[in-house]
Amino acid sequence: MPLSQNPIVDWPTELQPLLQDMQIVTGPGGQRYGRIDIDVDRETLFLLNEFEARVRHRQVRIRLADSAECLVGEMNVLVGLGAAADPARHVGKVRISFHDLQD
């Protein structure tokens, strides 16, 4: 099935709080992308990896906090950024990011 025919996948509601402070940036070519670096616990890391594998090469619908607005884009591979700020509660820091964001 061509990528254009794959259904859009909604970002999981249980992971919605992770994107609350996501930064949306417009690159030099006019394409928008979003990213956030966040500490995660073991269960959240598992859920993120599972979701990222399921939506690879598919578009994801992201509902922005405190808004009816949605963005659609492709999720990038999770990037491990090292130790968490609070290692007693979290296993590490990851970057969640999306490219080609559209309204």
Side-chain angles (χ1 to χ4, degrees), residues 41-78:
D41 60 27
R42 193 173 309 276
E43 180 182 346
T44 303
L45 182 59
F46 175 79
L47 292 172
L48 282 168
N49 278 302
E50 183 178 60
F51 182 76
E52 186 265 320
R54 187 166 50 95
V55 300
R56 192 164 290 145
H57 306 296
R58 295 174 68 180
Q59 292 185 313
V60 178
R61 181 180 298 114
I62 305 159
R63 300 200 185 279
L64 300 178
D66 302 328
S67 172
E69 183 181 358
C70 291
L71 297 174
V72 174
E74 284 190 50
M75 184 176 179
N76 297 317
V77 175
L78 287 176

Side-chain angles (χ1 to χ4, degrees), residues 3-20:
L3 181 61
S4 62
Q5 293 180 354
N6 283 335
I8 296 173
V9 179
D10 285 316
W11 180 257
T13 53
E14 66 269 18
L15 297 176
Q16 186 62 37
L18 300 178
L19 301 182
Q20 180 177 339

